[in-house]
Amino acid sequence: SSGLLEPSDSWRALRRSAEGPAWFRDLARKLLAGAAELHGRGVVHRDLKLSNVAVALGDDGALRVAVIDLSSAWSPAAEAAGLFGDFGPSREEETVEYMPPEVLFADEDAFYAPAPAYDAWSLGVLLLELLLGTRQALTVDQRTRAVLSWRLRREAPADVERALLRAALADLCIFPGVAACGDDDFAGELQRRDPLEIGYDRFLGVDGVDLLRRLLAHDPRDRLLPADALASHAFFRRDQARALAGDAAVAL
């Protein structure tokens, strides 16, 4: 529901509720489980975003999550069957706001071999959107946008948008070359953007901040993959018994 992705009454109530942190952790776990299920089958979704996730409550009250719309999904078998033409998959089948840096900032005509790290980044963006109550988690403030747009006014619009995205990543401490940028800086930036101004300690804590930062690692080689996060990350060890109910699904 879009009501959960805007600063609406529903979103505010969830953020303030005692059940909110456990709900968010359960949703995060099941989103990663859906991606891990695909990766285990040799499939990379490449278009994980809020509109490609279905969420419902079962009769038992357990959260049900399904990853849907595999129209952009890549697998070796799909490529071998010629579904991506002569040159393989490209960014034409993807959504810009959820593209990882290695694709977003590459040559627009470049083709590449998709990997699970792509989906890990998209999931990090998706979780940020849920936390911040916005569909524009990777954005800069209006002043920064105005200054950069003026400085780059003679550049192509696509180049301006890339520069704005780089600035947004730098603000969140997930762009290389940013000095003295760590988990505390990332958490501070989330606090600054919180529409409720109550912070995310209950929802994330140290473990949740680490999870998001590792999903959003700029270098795909450093990115935490969904299966690894589920297997060992401390954020999901808080309530493993509770999380066993209502597993994720993949709509094939």
PDB file of all heavy atoms in Angstrom, residues 9 43 48 67 95 117 139 147 174 186 193 210 229:
ATOM      1  N   ASP A   9      -0.797   8.610   8.084  1.00  0.00           N
ATOM      2  CA  ASP A   9      -1.193   8.170   9.421  1.00  0.00           C
ATOM      3  C   ASP A   9      -0.784   6.720   9.664  1.00  0.00           C
ATOM      4  O   ASP A   9      -0.350   6.363  10.757  1.00  0.00           O
ATOM      5  CB  ASP A   9      -2.705   8.331   9.588  1.00  0.00           C
ATOM      6  CG  ASP A   9      -3.134   9.795   9.645  1.00  0.00           C
ATOM      7  OD1 ASP A   9      -2.257  10.654   9.893  1.00  0.00           O
ATOM      8  OD2 ASP A   9      -4.329  10.073   9.447  1.00  0.00           O
ATOM      9  N   VAL A  43      18.911 -17.178 -10.468  1.00  0.00           N
ATOM     10  CA  VAL A  43      18.166 -16.067 -11.055  1.00  0.00           C
ATOM     11  C   VAL A  43      18.493 -14.778 -10.307  1.00  0.00           C
ATOM     12  O   VAL A  43      18.549 -14.754  -9.073  1.00  0.00           O
ATOM     13  CB  VAL A  43      16.645 -16.324 -10.988  1.00  0.00           C
ATOM     14  CG1 VAL A  43      15.863 -15.131 -11.536  1.00  0.00           C
ATOM     15  CG2 VAL A  43      16.281 -17.592 -11.754  1.00  0.00           C
ATOM     16  N   LEU A  48      14.016  -5.327  -8.261  1.00  0.00           N
ATOM     17  CA  LEU A  48      13.376  -5.356  -6.951  1.00  0.00           C
ATOM     18  C   LEU A  48      13.052  -3.928  -6.518  1.00  0.00           C
ATOM     19  O   LEU A  48      13.938  -3.096  -6.369  1.00  0.00           O
ATOM     20  CB  LEU A  48      14.301  -6.018  -5.927  1.00  0.00           C
ATOM     21  CG  LEU A  48      14.416  -7.539  -6.030  1.00  0.00           C
ATOM     22  CD1 LEU A  48      15.527  -8.038  -5.124  1.00  0.00           C
ATOM     23  CD2 LEU A  48      13.093  -8.208  -5.681  1.00  0.00           C
ATOM     24  N   VAL A  67       7.859 -11.906  -3.784  1.00  0.00           N
ATOM     25  CA  VAL A  67       8.565 -11.150  -4.830  1.00  0.00           C
ATOM     26  C   VAL A  67       7.893 -11.484  -6.151  1.00  0.00           C
ATOM     27  O   VAL A  67       7.772 -12.656  -6.523  1.00  0.00           O
ATOM     28  CB  VAL A  67      10.059 -11.529  -4.862  1.00  0.00           C
ATOM     29  CG1 VAL A  67      10.753 -10.862  -6.031  1.00  0.00           C
ATOM     30  CG2 VAL A  67      10.727 -11.152  -3.548  1.00  0.00           C
ATOM     31  N   THR A  95      15.070  -0.337 -13.337  1.00  0.00           N
ATOM     32  CA  THR A  95      14.536   0.925 -12.820  1.00  0.00           C
ATOM     33  C   THR A  95      15.677   1.732 -12.221  1.00  0.00           C
ATOM     34  O   THR A  95      16.383   1.254 -11.325  1.00  0.00           O
ATOM     35  CB  THR A  95      13.465   0.656 -11.748  1.00  0.00           C
ATOM     36  OG1 THR A  95      12.431  -0.155 -12.318  1.00  0.00           O
ATOM     37  CG2 THR A  95      12.865   1.967 -11.249  1.00  0.00           C
ATOM     38  N   ALA A 117      24.597  -9.436  -6.103  1.00  0.00           N
ATOM     39  CA  ALA A 117      24.909  -8.154  -5.467  1.00  0.00           C
ATOM     40  C   ALA A 117      24.019  -7.032  -6.004  1.00  0.00           C
ATOM     41  O   ALA A 117      23.772  -6.043  -5.303  1.00  0.00           O
ATOM     42  CB  ALA A 117      26.379  -7.804  -5.680  1.00  0.00           C
ATOM     43  N   THR A 139      18.005  10.828  -2.441  1.00  0.00           N
ATOM     44  CA  THR A 139      17.810  12.159  -3.000  1.00  0.00           C
ATOM     45  C   THR A 139      18.527  13.173  -2.124  1.00  0.00           C
ATOM     46  O   THR A 139      18.892  12.878  -0.980  1.00  0.00           O
ATOM     47  CB  THR A 139      16.315  12.504  -3.103  1.00  0.00           C
ATOM     48  OG1 THR A 139      16.143  13.726  -3.826  1.00  0.00           O
ATOM     49  CG2 THR A 139      15.694  12.658  -1.714  1.00  0.00           C
ATOM     50  N   VAL A 147      21.773  24.035  -6.288  1.00  0.00           N
ATOM     51  CA  VAL A 147      23.174  24.433  -6.524  1.00  0.00           C
ATOM     52  C   VAL A 147      23.807  23.557  -7.597  1.00  0.00           C
ATOM     53  O   VAL A 147      24.443  24.067  -8.537  1.00  0.00           O
ATOM     54  CB  VAL A 147      23.971  24.354  -5.205  1.00  0.00           C
ATOM     55  CG1 VAL A 147      25.470  24.502  -5.485  1.00  0.00           C
ATOM     56  CG2 VAL A 147      23.507  25.417  -4.237  1.00  0.00           C
ATOM     57  N   ILE A 174      27.725   6.402   1.593  1.00  0.00           N
ATOM     58  CA  ILE A 174      27.852   5.175   0.813  1.00  0.00           C
ATOM     59  C   ILE A 174      28.433   5.489  -0.569  1.00  0.00           C
ATOM     60  O   ILE A 174      28.105   4.837  -1.550  1.00  0.00           O
ATOM     61  CB  ILE A 174      26.504   4.428   0.684  1.00  0.00           C
ATOM     62  CG1 ILE A 174      25.373   5.374   0.276  1.00  0.00           C
ATOM     63  CG2 ILE A 174      26.146   3.741   1.973  1.00  0.00           C
ATOM     64  CD1 ILE A 174      24.033   4.668   0.140  1.00  0.00           C
ATOM     65  N   PHE A 186      26.118   7.592   8.989  1.00  0.00           N
ATOM     66  CA  PHE A 186      24.959   7.070   8.272  1.00  0.00           C
ATOM     67  C   PHE A 186      23.709   7.162   9.148  1.00  0.00           C
ATOM     68  O   PHE A 186      22.654   7.644   8.724  1.00  0.00           O
ATOM     69  CB  PHE A 186      25.223   5.623   7.867  1.00  0.00           C
ATOM     70  CG  PHE A 186      24.082   4.946   7.181  1.00  0.00           C
ATOM     71  CD1 PHE A 186      23.816   5.162   5.835  1.00  0.00           C
ATOM     72  CD2 PHE A 186      23.264   4.061   7.879  1.00  0.00           C
ATOM     73  CE1 PHE A 186      22.753   4.520   5.199  1.00  0.00           C
ATOM     74  CE2 PHE A 186      22.206   3.415   7.251  1.00  0.00           C
ATOM     75  CZ  PHE A 186      21.953   3.650   5.907  1.00  0.00           C
ATOM     76  N   ARG A 193      16.817  12.915   8.373  1.00  0.00           N
ATOM     77  CA  ARG A 193      15.765  12.807   7.372  1.00  0.00           C
ATOM     78  C   ARG A 193      14.443  12.271   7.935  1.00  0.00           C
ATOM     79  O   ARG A 193      13.462  12.199   7.217  1.00  0.00           O
ATOM     80  CB  ARG A 193      16.222  11.875   6.243  1.00  0.00           C
ATOM     81  CG  ARG A 193      17.431  12.378   5.483  1.00  0.00           C
ATOM     82  CD  ARG A 193      17.779  11.442   4.354  1.00  0.00           C
ATOM     83  NE  ARG A 193      18.969  11.873   3.644  1.00  0.00           N
ATOM     84  CZ  ARG A 193      19.241  11.559   2.385  1.00  0.00           C
ATOM     85  NH1 ARG A 193      18.398  10.800   1.707  1.00  0.00           N
ATOM     86  NH2 ARG A 193      20.340  11.982   1.798  1.00  0.00           N
ATOM     87  N   ASP A 210      24.267  -1.548  10.520  1.00  0.00           N
ATOM     88  CA  ASP A 210      25.296  -2.334   9.845  1.00  0.00           C
ATOM     89  C   ASP A 210      24.712  -3.103   8.663  1.00  0.00           C
ATOM     90  O   ASP A 210      25.323  -3.163   7.585  1.00  0.00           O
ATOM     91  CB  ASP A 210      25.932  -3.311  10.836  1.00  0.00           C
ATOM     92  CG  ASP A 210      27.015  -4.164  10.192  1.00  0.00           C
ATOM     93  OD1 ASP A 210      28.123  -3.643   9.969  1.00  0.00           O
ATOM     94  OD2 ASP A 210      26.741  -5.347   9.897  1.00  0.00           O
ATOM     95  N   ALA A 229      23.284 -12.667   4.690  1.00  0.00           N
ATOM     96  CA  ALA A 229      22.650 -11.875   5.747  1.00  0.00           C
ATOM     97  C   ALA A 229      21.718 -12.735   6.585  1.00  0.00           C
ATOM     98  O   ALA A 229      21.724 -12.680   7.821  1.00  0.00           O
ATOM     99  CB  ALA A 229      21.887 -10.705   5.138  1.00  0.00           C
TER     100      ALA A 229
END
